[in-house]
Structure formats: C-alpha cells, structure tokens
Amino acid sequence: MEPDLFLPQALCKATMVKKVAIIGAGISGLASIRSCLEEGLEPTCFEKGEDVGGLWKFSDHVEEGRASIYQSVFTNSSKEMTCFPDFPFPDDFPNFMHNSKLQEYITMFAKEKNLLKYIQFKTIVSSVNKRPDFSTTGQWDVITEKDGKKESAVFDAVMICSGHHVYPNIPKESFPGIKLFKGTCFHSRDYKEPGMFKGKRVLVIGLGNSGCDIASELSHIAEKVIISSRSGSWVMSRVWDEGYPWDMLFITRFETFLKNTLPTVISDWWYMKQMNARFKHENYGLMPLNGTLRKEPVFNDELPARILCGVVTIKPNVKEFTEDSAIFEDGTVFKSIDCVIFATGYNYAYPFLDDSIIKSRDNEVTLFKGIFPPPLEKPTLAVIGLVQSLGAVIPTTDLQSRWAVQVIKGTCPLPSVKDMMNDIDEKMGKKLKLFGKSDTIQTDYVVYMDELASFIGAKPNIPWLFLTDPKLALEVYFGPCTPYQFRLVGPGKWPGARNAILTQWDRLLKPMTTRVVGSPLKPCLFCNWFRPVLISVVSIAAFIVLF
C-alpha cells in the first residue's frame, strides 16, 4: 500500500486531543513525550523504574517486568546513525558506545528537551481499557499503581512504549531431557557479568547478538564454551570497509535502491558477498541455512577470533539433554556441562491490555505500519518501538511517534480498516520472502522510514534536492541515511539538519583522531557505490549472455 491512501494534510480536519498516556520512559517513551509536546498535546508518562532509559538503564540485578542488559553491552549502531534527529551526540563521544555512555546521552536529551517533568516514576500501569463511550470519544481508562496506591484517570489516547525485551522466550519444550539436566539453566536476560563462570563448561543456546556476546566474553575465563545454533547466522563486524562504521556505508538510500531493484539472483549474490567479505562463514560453522534471507545479522567483532583460537565452538541444534550432557543433532556430545544459557530471544506482551486489541486476527500481531491496531473505532492507541531493522531504534521511534501523534490528533487520518488489513497482508508476504517469516517485526529500514516520513511530509525530495542543493543531495542519497534527513522538512523541521548532514563525517572522525598522523580521511561516496554498480552491470550482462 502506498502513502497516497492518506488524505493531503491540508484537507485533514484537526481534532485536538488533550491528554495522552505514555507507558514507559525508555527511548520510545521519550520520543513520544517530545512528539506530543511538539503538537500541543499533554503527555503523562508512567515509568515503572526510577530513571529514564528503559533497556539502556543498566542494573546489576534483574527486575521483574523491566528489560535487562549485561554490564558489557555496547551499541551496534554508530552514533551518527543512532541519535535523535535534532540532537547529535557530542563530538567526543565514541562511535559505538558502552551502555553507560548511551544512557548518559539519553539523560542529556531528556533534560535538554525538558521531558522529565512529564514522567511519573515508580509507577506501574495495571490496566488500560476502553471507556464505555469509546466508539465516539476514543478515550481510555488507565489504572496505575504507586507505593501500593491505585489511581484511575481518563486519557484521550495511549501510546505504548514498553519495548519488546521484557518477557524471555525459553522454549524448553523443544529440548527433550532438559528437566533431567542437573546443572544451572537460565535465560540470557539473567546474565550480568562473567566472574561466576571461571573454569566452567558452558553451553549457549542461540546465535543472536546476546548469545554471541556472552559466549565471547565467557571464553576468556570459562574452561569451554559451545554455542548451539539451529539455523546459523551472518556475523558482521562494527568495523566495515576502510575502517568506517558498518552502518555509515551499508545503510544508504542508493544501496537500498539497488538491492530492491536489481534482479533477485544478483541482489542475493551481492548480499551474500558482503556478508562473507570478512571471513567465510562456512568454515566457521556459522553459515545460515538460507543465506539470502535478510534476517538481522549478529554484530560481533570478537567471535571469529575466539573460534579461530578454539575457545568457542559452534555446534548444531541440541537433540536432547541428559543429567550433565547435551547430545547434538550431528551425534556429538558435550559432557560435564555446568551451565546452559538460553539466548533465545523474547516474547512481546502487554499484560495491562486486552490481547485482542493488538492480536486482532488468528492470535497474530496485526498493526498498521507496526503501530496502529486497524479494528479500533478510533485510532487513539499507538504501539511505538515494536519494529526491528538494521537501522537504529532512536530515529525509528522518533519518526513513529511523530506520525502517531498526527494521527491521534486528527490531522492525518488512517485509511479504511480494509485497506489497512490489505497493507498488513502485503507486508507479511514481503517479509516472508525477505526474512523467512511473515509474522516477524523486522522491516527494511530506509523503506520503512521513508514510508512514515511521507505520511507527515518529512520525506526528503531527492530530485528537488539535486536541483536546488546538489552538495546536500549527494550526501543524502549516496551517503549514510542518518536521522537528520527526517528533520530537513515537514513538521518538526530542524534548522540545523543540513549542517548536521554535511558535518557528520567530522563528528565520526573526531573521537578517533587522538594521535594526529595526517589529515583525517573521509570516504569517497562515489567509490563506495561505483564498485558494486560495476559488478552488478557486468553480472547482468553475463547473465543475459549466458541465459
């Protein structure tokens, strides 16, 4: 479904919404508070914890109902791709940050935008229910609890920003004999630091980011670490061509255009060649069962070296457990296991809300553009942050919340329920082809961001830019698709966006040039895309000649 389903903004009739309840003060919640304020709405944010940051607020113990990370977590997206679109990271911040550094930035943003006064900390949202007159008012009854005292309030809209890394998925039923296992067994959510694993024999189930991080970290002190993977995964380095951050070269408009336009056989070949550029995954036991699927890769700079050194071993899926061992599908056995760590992802749930609102069809999550439940009589409930892509979370939730607020406010109406459901079905078909699962929350970052931006008039007009500002146009189209691009025009336009785009490479290089050995070198944008284009043209020509 194309954005032309939406009425022109000038024809939209505004209906002012006064009070908006925002659940969660993580990245999504802060973006939503700010978007409400930009549009003249009155947000009230309820946060279970004592501080902002959500997932990125590290705690040395696991808290029920809150996301949890381990002490050594670093970002997988670089700072220029991760920031709020009108709030660049300080020049001296590293390109990939420890969780404490990102938390520092999130706190800076909340204070700079004066958001803290809209947040009620240590407050649990117990229930969110439609009011009896919802079909006409779109209002919600929200019951909260603080210090054992419950309160009820009426809100004109609700924005759910509680994330999807809270409820661990532990598929023990998929592992026969696990109940017989006498060692320690827990989910990666409970992992904090490696000290207690010194000299232990550890099995990690799952080849995602957490599983690879934990296995690599434990391999320095554990006796033996094995990762069991059912389907394999591409493993990417944060350091990409010529030493630049991977996403500054990989996530561009032009590269997205090529991958979505070239014949599938060429696009798949190119993608696999990029994934295998650092090392041959087949030789390391990491190769995905279907390498052409665009499933989210793992980002780990250390894992290949740990495998080379023999301190991490990759094995297939576990067939069954015994009291102290794991038998893999290839018949090999890992004996005397002390601990099994399930790095098997998360289930997303909203216990304060009737499940049928989000899962409106066959128990599937059915959200238009990953945000709005189509069957609601009034579009006054939005889920922010329930998408996953190669792009960073912060700019994604910023744009989601900007559009959501326009819809809630009434200045940008949604299509009909039928059209929204057709769009969801169409997207599910594309996801099945790209990611191997139709119900995944994964999405194509640039395509998704442009789609949301077009709804509110914030998508850059590339042809017009080439005519009026070619210097900027080259950076926007051939350079990294940085968040600033979505504040160049439209509501929330930021006057500093153009300069931020033209100086983004300077900020990238600043924290690295601590020992001056010449002028810092910026990448040649044309060099980055000329080679793949040339390869593609030659490949197409060869394909035509041969077939």
Side-chain angles (χ1 to χ4, degrees):
M1 185 184 302
E2 297 298 324
D4 59 8
L5 284 170
F6 286 72
L7 297 174
Q9 206 167 340
L11 299 179
C12 298
K13 182 179 180 180
T15 303
M16 178 58 72
V17 179
K18 292 294 185 182
K19 297 175 63 180
V20 180
I22 297 171
I23 303 173
I27 288 169
S28 302
L30 294 178
S32 297
I33 297 171
R34 197 267 289 268
S35 293
C36 285
L37 295 175
E38 285 182 327
E39 293 300 323
L41 307 184
E42 299 178 8
T44 300
C45 179
F46 302 106
E47 167 56 42
K48 185 173 184 178
E50 300 177 353
D51 201 354
V52 297
L55 174 71
W56 293 99
K57 177 62 178 177
F58 174 75
S59 171
D60 59 7
H61 62 278
V62 177
E63 299 176 41
E64 186 65 30
R66 293 193 71 244
S68 175
I69 57 174
Y70 36 96
Q71 200 279 331
S72 59
V73 167
F74 277 76
T75 62
N76 291 331
S77 298
S78 64
K79 68 175 183 179
E80 290 302 303
M81 299 292 285
T82 300
C83 65
F84 283 97
D86 58 345
F87 195 68
F89 282 90
D91 291 1
D92 60 347
F93 271 44
N95 285 287
F96 293 101
M97 283 161 280
H98 184 259
N99 60 81
S100 60
K101 205 67 176 173
L102 182 58
Q103 176 64 18
E104 180 183 340
Y105 167 80
I106 294 170
T107 303
M108 289 167 54
F109 174 79
K111 291 180 178 178
E112 174 69 21
K113 302 301 180 181
N114 199 25
L115 306 181
L116 296 177
K117 65 181 181 180
Y118 300 97
I119 305 172
Q120 296 183 19
F121 293 105
K122 297 183 180 181
T123 304
I124 299 171
V125 175
S126 303
S127 66
V128 175
N129 294 298
K130 296 179 183 177
R131 286 183 59 76
D133 57 356
F134 180 85
S135 59
T136 55
T137 65
Q139 291 182 326
W140 301 83
D141 283 319
V142 178
I143 298 177
T144 59
E145 182 177 344
K146 183 176 183 178
D147 298 328
K149 181 182 178 182
K150 289 191 175 184
E151 291 187 5
S152 179
V154 177
F155 288 92
D156 299 294
V158 175
M159 300 177 78
I160 300 174
C161 306
S162 52
H164 54 90
H165 293 94
V166 177
Y167 303 100
N169 172 42
I170 308 179
K172 290 186 176 181
E173 67 281 356
S174 301
F175 298 96
I178 189 65
K179 292 182 179 179
L180 301 174
F181 180 66
K182 292 185 176 180
T184 307
C185 182
F186 62 89
H187 191 270
S188 58
R189 180 175 185 268
D190 297 317
Y191 176 82
K192 290 298 179 179
E193 55 85 27
M196 63 180 287
F197 297 92
K198 185 176 181 179
K200 303 294 185 181
R201 295 170 63 83
V202 183
L203 173 62
V204 178
I205 307 287
L207 193 64
N209 283 308
S210 295
C212 291
D213 280 353
I214 293 170
S216 297
E217 184 168 69
L218 292 184
S219 69
H220 291 276
I221 64 170
E223 178 187 324
K224 181 64 179 177
V225 178
I226 287 182
I227 300 176
S228 169
S229 174
R230 181 180 55 194
S231 56
S233 180
W234 294 117
V235 177
M236 291 177 64
S237 172
R238 294 177 177 86
V239 184
W240 207 241
D241 295 346
E242 299 180 329
Y244 296 107
W246 74 272
D247 49 359
M248 293 288 279
L249 301 180
F250 195 82
I251 303 179
T252 73
R253 292 181 177 279
F254 184 65
E255 179 140 342
T256 300
F257 166 76
L258 285 181
K259 286 181 177 176
N260 292 334
T261 306
L262 288 171
T264 302
V265 64
I266 304 269
S267 179
D268 289 347
W269 168 81
W270 181 17
Y271 177 74
M272 292 181 67
K273 186 174 179 62
Q274 286 180 305
M275 294 297 101
N276 260 328
R278 183 180 171 209
F279 64 93
K280 300 299 181 184
H281 284 63
E282 299 94 324
N283 297 343
Y284 287 71
L286 297 168
M287 183 71 182
L289 292 180
N290 186 342
T292 62
L293 294 178
R294 274 34 170 203
K295 291 167 63 178
E296 184 180 10
V298 169
F299 290 92
N300 194 293
D301 304 291
E302 192 179 13
L303 181 62
R306 303 312 290 167
I307 295 173
L308 273 178
C309 293
V311 291
V312 172
T313 303
I314 309 298
K315 285 289 185 178
N317 198 36
V318 174
K319 181 180 179 181
E320 66 174 308
F321 283 94
T322 66
E323 290 185 352
D324 67 347
S325 303
I327 303 171
F328 301 103
E329 290 181 345
D330 62 0
T332 57
V333 181
F334 184 25
K335 298 180 179 180
S336 303
I337 302 173
D338 295 296
C339 181
V340 176
I341 302 176
F342 283 90
T344 44
Y346 292 83
N347 298 312
Y348 35 91
Y350 307 106
F352 47 80
L353 187 70
D354 185 345
D355 249 6
S356 64
I357 294 176
I358 302 293
K359 300 178 179 179
S360 59
R361 183 181 64 184
D362 301 328
N363 205 37
E364 294 177 337
V365 174
T366 45
L367 298 174
F368 182 59
K369 305 307 179 189
I371 300 173
F372 288 102
L376 283 182
E377 302 95 315
K378 297 288 183 179
T380 56
L381 178 77
V383 181
I384 307 299
L386 191 61
V387 295
Q388 197 165 304
S389 72
L390 280 182
V393 173
I394 290 178
T396 303
T397 56
D398 180 79
L399 198 47
Q400 283 185 320
S401 61
R402 288 165 65 193
W403 175 51
V405 166
Q406 296 281 351
V407 173
I408 290 170
K409 188 178 175 183
T411 53
C412 197
L414 295 177
S416 67
V417 173
K418 180 181 178 181
D419 285 339
M420 286 191 283
M421 293 305 295
N422 287 339
D423 180 78
I424 290 171
D425 289 337
E426 179 185 338
K427 292 295 189 295
M428 290 178 75
K430 290 180 178 179
K431 287 180 178 182
L432 180 62
K433 180 181 178 181
L434 274 177
F435 308 115
K437 293 177 63 179
S438 61
D439 60 347
T440 179
I441 59 174
Q442 284 188 262
T443 189
D444 186 317
Y445 179 71
V446 176
V447 172
Y448 181 71
M449 294 289 280
D450 274 352
E451 195 170 34
L452 295 187
S454 67
F455 297 157
I456 61 172
K459 179 183 176 181
N461 187 327
I462 306 299
W464 180 249
L465 274 182
F466 271 107
L467 288 173
T468 59
D469 195 342
K471 182 179 181 181
L472 178 63
L474 287 172
E475 283 286 347
V476 168
Y477 192 65
F478 294 108
C481 188
T482 44
Y484 320 117
Q485 295 190 14
F486 301 103
R487 290 272 180 173
L488 282 168
V489 295
K493 174 182 176 181
W494 179 43
R498 181 182 186 275
N499 182 64
I501 293 170
L502 296 178
T503 57
Q504 57 198 10
W505 293 103
D506 296 322
R507 286 188 300 279
L508 180 153
L509 292 168
K510 177 67 181 295
M512 299 163 60
T513 53
T514 53
R515 174 177 172 261
V516 180
V517 290
S519 300
L521 298 176
K522 302 176 185 178
C524 171
L525 298 181
F526 293 102
C527 297
N528 289 330
W529 64 260
F530 178 76
R531 181 169 51 190
V533 169
L534 179 62
I535 292 173
S536 300
V537 170
V538 172
S539 301
I540 292 172
F543 182 81
I544 293 173
V545 170
L546 293 174
F547 299 97

